[in-house]
Amino acid sequence: MLIVPNLFWMVYMNLEKEVLTLSDYVLFSDDQMEVYSTRIADLLVRCVIEIESISKEIYKLEGGNMEPVDKEGKPRTLYFDTDCLNYLEDKWSITKKTVIISAPSFSLSPDNCTITPLERANKNGTHGAKWKKAYQALKHDRINSLEQATIRNLLYALGALYILNLYYKNEVIPLWDSFANTKQNIQAGSSIFSTCLYHANNIDLSVNMCDGSINNYSGENRENAIYIVKFTNKDFKAIHQKICEDLNCGLTKFTNPHNFKKFLDAHQQFKGPDFEGKTPAEIAALWGDTNIILEYSDNSYLGAVRIARLVAVLNKEMDIYPKLISAPEKISLGAGFHSALGLNFRS
């Protein structure tokens, strides 16, 4: 089988190397972001030519209309920005994706390090991104437009090309196990940029699990993230299966007459007239704390969480996890117990 090389990534890596070489001679710092030169102009134009090409290729792969027509129904040119990037914006919110300039040799403040390079790239004319307007000006009148060939515009154009390359490659990146540190950003082969992440591996464990089980402790904005850190679907299902088994096992032991009597002796509030005639399962539901039930189980769910594998997947505005609902016959819980489970356990 013939393996076709990813020419887009090869060109990107060459551009990145040339930008790094340029930074050996011109310091990339906050006070030099507006420095311009003919060399920067050359790199900027080459970046945007690649953006035009790769955006059209992704557009085609994602089912975009390759034969656009004008208002009169006549065939017209396919535009990389208002057609292709706008299409990807509707699918993936591509203009909101954020990268971090993390090259060690650059001396940039946080304000200049965190950028959203595709912002307004799907607009034309004066409403478009600055790097795109600089490209058009340099292409048509380089001598009189050289001041627009700045380090800032170059980094934004290169960052836009980086993001599009990641979406074109569409890779799933294996990470560490679920207890490892996954807070660091992913560079995905770049020496200049790293990506913003959305962590979906902090989850509430319950008999009903889905994307609503994700706890976003750090306030990360999913819309800005390029990659989502998550459990593999297989391991997510395994965790769900184990929590259901543990709850079922724990409830069985909890409702044992000896254990249940000890519980009632320790919690006199459940001996009043309002609770007469209620089953142990109904008492457990009223208690609403899965810790009580799991104290009687083997806690095998902890092992499932411990060995669960993490991956980073591209953020394509899709469901992160499957919806998992325990069959009623598997968990013999009282009415209301399911809703009481969702807020008590986190991985």
Side-chain angles (χ1 to χ4, degrees):
M1 179 179 177
L2 179 63
I3 299 176
V4 180
N6 183 343
L7 299 179
F8 288 117
W9 186 248
M10 292 170 63
V11 172
Y12 171 79
M13 291 304 293
N14 283 330
L15 283 166
E16 190 173 276
K17 288 177 184 177
E18 292 183 58
V19 171
L20 287 170
T21 299
L22 176 64
S23 72
D24 289 337
Y25 299 95
V26 180
L27 181 63
F28 281 28
S29 60
D30 291 342
D31 58 351
Q32 301 228 99
M33 290 291 277
E34 305 309 320
V35 167
Y36 60 91
S37 73
T38 55
R39 179 63 177 144
I40 296 173
D42 175 60
L43 290 168
L44 175 58
V45 169
R46 287 165 56 197
C47 277
V48 185
I49 288 173
E50 279 298 301
I51 290 172
E52 287 186 336
S53 182
I54 196 171
S55 61
K56 290 178 180 180
E57 186 64 22
I58 299 172
Y59 174 83
K60 180 176 72 174
L61 292 173
E62 291 299 319
N65 177 22
M66 299 301 293
E67 299 179 351
V69 295
D70 59 21
K71 294 180 180 179
E72 297 177 355
K74 297 178 181 179
R76 64 165 176 81
T77 301
L78 178 68
Y79 301 117
F80 85 95
D81 46 10
T82 53
D83 287 326
C84 301
L85 293 180
N86 201 53
Y87 181 78
L88 299 181
E89 168 65 10
D90 291 339
K91 287 176 69 72
W92 302 331
S93 299
I94 199 80
T95 68
K96 300 175 181 65
K97 299 299 178 273
T98 301
V99 296
I100 300 165
I101 303 173
S102 53
S105 60
F106 296 0
S107 300
L108 299 174
S109 65
D111 288 342
N112 282 322
C113 280
T114 303
I115 64 174
T116 310
L118 284 165
E119 185 177 3
R120 301 196 311 278
N122 60 326
K123 308 294 183 183
N124 59 14
T126 58
H127 300 290
K130 287 185 178 180
W131 58 259
K132 199 175 65 163
K133 290 185 284 186
Y135 162 70
Q136 293 292 344
L138 291 164
K139 186 171 65 171
H140 296 292
D141 187 1
R142 182 165 298 200
I143 292 176
N144 294 312
S145 305
L146 193 59
E147 291 184 2
Q148 297 187 51
T150 64
I151 291 175
R152 185 186 305 277
N153 282 333
L154 173 59
L155 288 176
Y156 272 67
L158 189 66
L161 182 57
Y162 170 66
I163 293 172
L164 291 170
N165 266 280
L166 295 182
Y167 275 87
Y168 178 73
K169 290 199 296 181
N170 195 29
E171 292 180 339
V172 175
I173 303 175
L175 299 175
W176 311 270
D177 62 68
S178 58
F179 282 87
N181 177 19
T182 60
K183 290 300 181 182
Q184 62 187 32
N185 294 310
I186 293 173
Q187 291 182 284
S190 173
S191 296
I192 294 179
F193 301 106
S194 55
T195 66
C196 282
L197 305 177
Y198 179 82
H199 288 83
N201 57 312
N202 292 315
I203 55 174
D204 290 333
L205 303 181
S206 74
V207 293
N208 299 327
M209 288 168 58
C210 60
D211 284 1
S213 303
I214 298 169
N215 272 306
N216 184 13
Y217 298 122
S218 58
E220 295 165 336
N221 189 338
R222 176 179 173 178
E223 198 173 48
N224 297 134
I226 294 175
Y227 283 104
I228 295 172
V229 176
K230 57 166 285 187
F231 294 110
T232 65
N233 284 352
K234 180 179 179 180
D235 288 342
F236 183 73
K237 292 176 181 177
I239 292 170
H240 175 258
Q241 179 181 348
K242 288 299 181 183
I243 196 69
C244 290
E245 290 175 0
D246 278 349
L247 288 169
N248 194 56
C249 173
L251 186 62
T252 299
K253 293 181 180 178
F254 174 72
T255 55
N256 173 279
H258 175 72
N259 292 332
F260 187 60
K261 182 179 183 302
K262 287 178 63 177
F263 174 81
L264 290 181
D265 289 341
H267 301 89
Q268 294 295 318
Q269 65 268 40
F270 292 113
K271 287 188 173 181
D274 293 338
F275 302 99
E276 289 182 5
K278 291 192 181 296
T279 66
E282 290 171 330
I283 294 291
L286 291 168
W287 179 252
D289 187 351
T290 52
N291 280 298
I292 295 297
I293 304 303
L294 288 176
E295 282 180 6
Y296 294 91
S297 76
D298 297 329
N299 288 331
S300 62
Y301 80 94
L302 292 174
V305 172
R306 189 172 290 110
I307 65 173
R309 293 158 297 174
L310 293 175
V311 291
V313 298
L314 279 171
N315 182 9
K316 291 188 173 181
E317 304 298 318
M318 70 301 189
D319 288 341
I320 297 174
Y321 291 118
K323 295 181 180 179
L324 304 178
I325 301 174
S326 174
E329 64 272 12
K330 289 185 179 180
I331 306 265
S332 305
L333 302 177
F337 192 74
H338 286 199
S339 61
L341 291 175
L343 300 176
N344 294 297
F345 286 96
R346 298 180 174 88
S347 65

